[in-house]
Amino acid sequence: MPADTADLDIVTDYLRLGLAFDRLEEGFVDAYTGDPALRAEVENAPAPEPAQLAARARALLAELPGGLPADRAEFLGAHLRALECSARRFAGEEISFVDEVRAYFDVDIALADTDRYESAHVALAEALGVPGATGDDLRDAYVALRRADEIPPAKVDECVRAFSGALRERVRARYPLPDNEIVEFEVVTDKPWSGFNYYLGGYRSRVAINADLTQYMSSLPSLIAHEAYPGHHTEHCRKEQLLVGAGQHEQSIFLVNTPQCLMAEGLADHALDAIMGPDWHAWAAEIYADIGLRFDADRAARVGRAAAGLLTVRQDAALLLHDRDVEADTVAQFLQTWLLAPPERARQMLRFLTSPLWRAYISTYVEGYRLLDRWLDASDDRAAAFGRLLDEPLIPASLRRELAATGPKAETGADQRAQVAG
């Protein structure tokens, strides 16, 4: 069999397998831009059994490389291992939470030391102008800051469009996009997330903003960058054009709980810094001023740096829930204590952490941010390295391999640059 035929067969089987997971859990296929006839074939077939999908994933793994180049075979192998684990969970098999996260995202996770959270609170009290404040006093100061940072509901749409337009212009100049690419924004309710990119193919996205959650001046620019420019929408467009257009059809599907997700969320959480630099707050203040809003850029930057030490709190909450079997009420209190979150916000976080589909997903933000930060920092040109994330089918293993090849390098530390939207 010619190599190109083998290539087509194994990739088509991978796509067919991935599409079948949407029959088990709607939303498992985050995006699909491939042959609609293949999707119709899967949708019209008998409902799959999870054990059969697990067996099929193992069989495809055994067939690799299947005529594929080494990098494409490695990409498929990582994703087939993730799908095999998902199928086993759907079949009711007991899998430890740490092993589940490792299979999905190819990272190892562990509880952080709460001493780092106490240090973050000390820094946060300084940034808020209440040095030494702890407990309720610190929470009150943080709540007051957040209240002053709220975007009036009537202004949210105008702010979204202003930042989207400004970021789109900058992104298209640095990371060219097809002329016909477009993002449409919509407001939704009753969702476990704050924002979501629905990539529709053909360089089009629909970005949903959750109106149940208050939007803040300090976090809205990051949200727009994350979901659109140069985050998810930009990545989807460039990979559709450059990879799928070159025949790498495995890139035409994006599946939840796979290494793709860790790479994509890490990329998107670095998006605003990548296009605007870490001192983006002054730029944002100018845009807000044009809309009639006052944004304290200096204070927002100080608070963001202080809160960076809280990056792992939500992952710890997931570990407490699913690895240590801690009751939900206790975990909600954990979130309130360390993230200074009001009870309703902590419950919203718990909704995400307890969703059958999304319960492990928080690690994509935490470990994705940290891994990509180390890799970007090891590069001589972060902008060019970010472009590789947009354009290449990289996975956690390939980043770790490159990091190992660079040797020791002083790290600025992912947590020092993380932005935590409590």
Side-chain angles (χ1 to χ4, degrees), residues 352-379:
F352 187 78
L353 296 175
T354 55
S355 163
L357 182 61
W358 300 109
R359 72 179 205 147
Y361 203 81
I362 192 62
S363 290
T364 66
Y365 302 106
V366 175
E367 303 302 335
Y369 187 95
R370 298 204 293 190
L371 174 61
L372 269 62
D373 190 74
R374 292 194 298 273
W375 182 80
L376 288 166
D377 192 55
S379 170

Side-chain angles (χ1 to χ4, degrees), residues 202-216:
Y203 316 124
R204 297 173 298 118
S205 285
R206 185 176 77 252
V207 170
I209 305 295
N210 188 356
D212 291 339
L213 301 179
T214 301
Q215 297 299 331
Y216 297 96

Side-chain angles (χ1 to χ4, degrees), residues 264-393:
E265 300 300 352
L267 178 158
D269 274 351
H270 279 285
L272 187 59
D273 278 7
I275 199 64
M276 295 305 307
D279 300 321
W280 55 264
H281 304 81
W283 162 81
E286 293 178 0
I287 292 179
Y288 282 126
D290 289 340
I291 299 172
L293 298 174
R294 183 183 180 279
F295 175 56
D296 189 332
D298 289 340
R299 184 173 63 175
R302 292 195 305 272
V303 170
R305 288 191 294 269
L310 305 175
L311 175 67
T312 53
V313 170
R314 288 178 296 166
Q315 179 169 272
D316 283 356
L319 281 162
L320 293 173
L321 279 167
H322 306 304
D323 187 60
R324 304 297 176 89
D325 296 322
V326 176
E327 292 184 353
D329 287 346
T330 302
V331 176
Q333 186 59 55
F334 177 86
L335 291 166
Q336 291 176 59
T337 297
W338 295 119
L339 289 182
L340 306 175
E344 62 275 11
R345 179 61 176 144
R347 289 293 172 183
Q348 177 74 10
M349 294 178 196
L350 276 181
R351 183 181 175 192
F352 187 78
L353 296 175
T354 55
S355 163
L357 182 61
W358 300 109
R359 72 179 205 147
Y361 203 81
I362 192 62
S363 290
T364 66
Y365 302 106
V366 175
E367 303 302 335
Y369 187 95
R370 298 204 293 190
L371 174 61
L372 269 62
D373 190 74
R374 292 194 298 273
W375 182 80
L376 288 166
D377 192 55
S379 170
D380 293 330
D381 184 340
R382 285 178 73 95
F386 188 83
R388 288 188 60 199
L389 296 173
L390 292 172
D391 295 352
E392 298 180 23

Side-chain angles (χ1 to χ4, degrees), residues 90-113:
F90 279 123
E93 184 174 336
E94 291 291 332
I95 302 171
S96 79
F97 184 68
V98 172
D99 289 343
E100 181 184 348
V101 170
R102 182 185 301 116
Y104 292 164
F105 308 124
D106 192 20
V107 291
D108 291 309
I109 63 173
L111 282 171
D113 190 335

Side-chain angles (χ1 to χ4, degrees), residues 17-37:
L17 174 67
L19 289 167
F21 276 81
D22 225 37
R23 301 287 305 278
L24 301 181
E25 178 76 42
E26 185 177 359
F28 195 96
V29 177
D30 181 84
Y32 176 68
T33 61
D35 183 358

